[in-house]
Amino acid sequence: MDKVAIIGGTGKVGRYIANKALQKGYQVRMLVRNPEKSSYIDNGIEIVKGEIQNLETIKKLIKGCNIVVNTFGQPVRATPMYSELTKNLLVLMKEVNIRRYIGVSGGSLTIEGDRKNFTNIFAAKVFEVFFSKMMRDKKREWEILFNNKEINWTLIRLPFVVEGAEIGSIKESVTDMPGRKIQNQDIATFIINQIESSKYIHKSPFISN
């Protein structure tokens, strides 16, 4: 049985990913900073307590797993750690022979090949101005992934995330954000469905409701 390692499992999206994975028959191991504050966590989830900055903790989390799902998030004004975390994960995944990585980013990330409409171009520029450190780090994260051909990675770009039950209808595009928002439970389902799919390997799709 495949085992999924989850980073960011107590966040707005991550909390549903673990339960969706269990429903699909996967084993789940999750990195949690404060397990005592996470009362909703299913008893079937294996918990690793620790911080993402600790490489030994990350190695403990992913060792023996087959898939890594990274939905780590930070407040927009915090010193961004996205690229550093992703770089460390890819190095450690190679060490322990894990090939499948699924991460998330924002729709404001613009990469070569995008064909965003005017509104989305403008929104991305606004993010680049007001959240420049975060956006530079997100771009570095993308470049780290793009230049790695050994790991079967997918980086999913998200619009505004709202709390709510699954709608069940997800729009997808590799060139532009197809809608303004998405339910967090729809994201969780989409991510779990990517585990065994090769459709978006080495790609960064946009999704929305």
Side-chain angles (χ1 to χ4, degrees):
M1 185 186 297
D2 284 344
K3 182 178 282 190
V4 183
I6 301 175
I7 294 170
T10 58
K12 198 171 185 178
V13 175
R15 67 182 67 181
Y16 296 104
I17 294 171
N19 289 329
K20 294 284 183 186
L22 290 173
Q23 290 169 20
K24 285 275 191 174
Y26 296 105
Q27 294 179 339
V28 176
R29 186 186 292 153
M30 185 190 295
L31 180 64
V32 181
R33 184 190 299 172
N34 298 306
E36 61 279 0
K37 294 182 180 179
S38 305
S39 57
Y40 65 85
I41 293 176
D42 191 286
N43 289 334
I45 299 171
E46 184 183 344
I47 298 298
V48 172
K49 182 177 180 178
E51 303 277 351
I52 62 158
Q53 298 95 324
N54 188 309
L55 295 182
E56 288 304 314
T57 298
I58 294 178
K59 194 165 185 177
K60 181 179 178 182
L61 171 75
I62 69 173
K63 192 171 184 181
C65 294
N66 312 90
I67 306 104
V68 173
V69 174
N70 177 14
T71 62
F72 171 70
Q74 294 181 265
V76 291
R77 297 295 181 188
T79 300
M81 295 187 288
Y82 301 102
S83 63
E84 186 70 16
L85 172 59
T86 299
K87 181 181 75 174
N88 290 337
L89 277 169
L90 296 183
V91 169
L92 293 172
M93 285 174 66
K94 185 179 178 183
E95 277 186 27
V96 298
N97 198 30
I98 302 172
R99 296 292 306 280
R100 189 69 175 114
Y101 172 91
I102 302 167
V104 298
S105 191
S108 51
L109 174 67
T110 302
I111 62 175
E112 188 176 349
D114 284 350
R115 295 195 295 274
K116 293 183 175 181
N117 64 37
F118 176 79
T119 302
N120 289 338
I121 290 172
F122 180 76
K125 292 295 182 186
V126 169
F127 265 77
E128 287 170 10
V129 170
F130 288 98
F131 308 111
S132 56
K133 281 187 179 179
M134 182 184 75
M135 293 311 301
R136 283 197 301 269
D137 193 59
K138 291 277 192 179
K139 193 64 177 285
R140 267 196 299 271
E141 179 185 38
W142 157 254
E143 288 166 354
I144 288 165
L145 288 165
F146 182 74
N147 290 312
N148 189 307
K149 305 305 180 190
E150 297 173 291
I151 301 294
N152 292 329
W153 56 265
T154 300
L155 185 67
I156 301 162
R157 289 184 279 178
L158 304 174
F160 183 71
V161 177
V162 295
E163 178 78 39
E166 269 185 83
I167 293 174
S169 173
I170 299 175
K171 300 173 185 175
E172 308 169 22
S173 172
V174 290
T175 57
D176 195 10
M177 184 62 72
R180 289 195 223 170
K181 60 185 180 178
I182 189 166
Q183 308 284 96
N184 52 7
Q185 293 189 47
D186 279 311
I187 300 169
T189 295
F190 185 83
I191 286 174
I192 295 305
N193 287 342
Q194 298 315 300
I195 289 176
E196 295 182 16
S197 172
S198 60
K199 182 177 181 180
Y200 292 121
I201 285 177
H202 298 159
K203 294 180 181 177
S204 189
F206 297 92
I207 64 171
S208 72
N209 285 133

